[in-house]
Amino acid sequence: LPKLIMNIYHMAEPVQDGQTVDSYVNYVMSILTSMEHFRHLAPALLRRFKELPKLQNLKSTFCHGDYTLSNMRIDSNTDTLYLFDPNYKPQMWQHFLLDFGKLMQSYFFDYEHKIGLRADPLSIKSRTAFVDELVRLDIAQEVSFFYVTHLIRMIRYIKDPKLYASVMQEIVAYVED
């Protein structure tokens, strides 16, 4: 997995779609401000975004769009990683950092298990290698930002009170840190 992350990081070419990260952040902010329990967090999230200079004026790149553990399989005989069920939306701002944020959601929030999806269990060793690679590439803070934006995007659809509380806790912890 670290080799794949490194390859994606170094090979990602900007897509000429005219979209910038600002359109994505505005979209997430509109979700946040539309929810009474989260409205007060919007200014702090926007401040966190502005504190990440690498994200400013970031252009779109190709990305999978739903880069979760439930959408990948590893052939243990060949150590080949297979990705499926892409959700790339060319009309929206997309970036490989969004994909890494989605993978972080799988690894650290245990997303698939909590919503009842099947996912190949990747070891703690692979989770550690993922984080180590993000740190080595100096993109861990940026990926963490997108991890939280994925949680914000999905909270509207959560019906289970325990899962809702858990997601809310993750969002608040990040924004108020």
Side-chain angles (χ1 to χ4, degrees):
L1 200 55
K3 187 176 181 180
L4 176 67
I5 291 168
M6 185 182 69
N7 288 340
I8 292 171
Y9 177 79
H10 289 291
M11 293 171 41
E13 293 288 328
V15 176
Q16 301 303 317
D17 64 1
Q19 299 285 336
T20 67
V21 68
D22 294 329
S23 62
Y24 176 77
V25 171
N26 289 337
Y27 166 67
V28 173
M29 294 299 286
S30 70
I31 294 169
L32 201 57
T33 57
S34 72
M35 301 176 69
E36 187 176 333
H37 293 104
F38 290 100
R39 194 170 293 136
H40 71 285
L41 298 174
L45 182 67
L46 192 55
R47 178 183 45 75
R48 292 293 298 261
F49 168 69
K50 290 178 179 180
E51 290 171 353
L52 297 168
K54 290 179 190 166
L55 295 185
Q56 307 312 306
N57 301 312
L58 199 59
K59 305 285 189 239
S60 289
T61 66
F62 177 78
C63 73
H64 180 274
D66 200 13
Y67 196 60
T68 62
L69 295 176
S70 60
N71 287 334
M72 58 179 70
R73 297 289 177 264
I74 298 175
D75 182 333
S76 57
N77 296 324
T78 63
D79 217 21
T80 302
L81 176 67
Y82 294 95
L83 301 173
F84 54 92
D85 196 20
N87 191 26
Y88 180 72
K89 295 179 180 169
Q91 71 278 15
M92 292 181 65
W93 180 82
Q94 303 276 296
H95 201 277
F96 68 88
L97 291 174
L98 276 174
D99 277 350
F100 294 167
K102 196 80 154 177
L103 187 56
M104 185 177 267
Q105 177 183 307
S106 282
Y107 269 137
F108 294 97
F109 193 69
D110 195 20
Y111 170 74
E112 286 79 10
H113 180 259
K114 288 180 179 178
I115 66 167
L117 291 176
R118 180 191 169 291
D120 278 351
L122 293 177
S123 68
I124 295 297
K125 180 180 174 187
S126 116
R127 183 172 80 177
T128 302
F130 170 67
V131 172
D132 288 348
E133 191 62 17
L134 296 180
V135 169
R136 191 184 76 70
L137 293 170
D138 195 25
I139 56 173
Q141 290 184 338
E142 292 77 11
V143 172
S144 294
F145 175 81
F146 289 120
Y147 159 66
V148 170
T149 66
H150 285 306
L151 295 178
I152 291 167
R153 289 170 55 196
M154 77 175 204
I155 198 163
R156 302 174 292 174
Y157 307 107
I158 298 173
K159 304 293 184 224
D160 178 83
K162 286 183 182 178
L163 181 56
Y164 185 91
S166 180
V167 171
M168 188 170 176
Q169 183 178 359
E170 282 284 306
I171 294 168
V172 170
Y174 175 82
V175 172
E176 293 184 346
D177 181 25

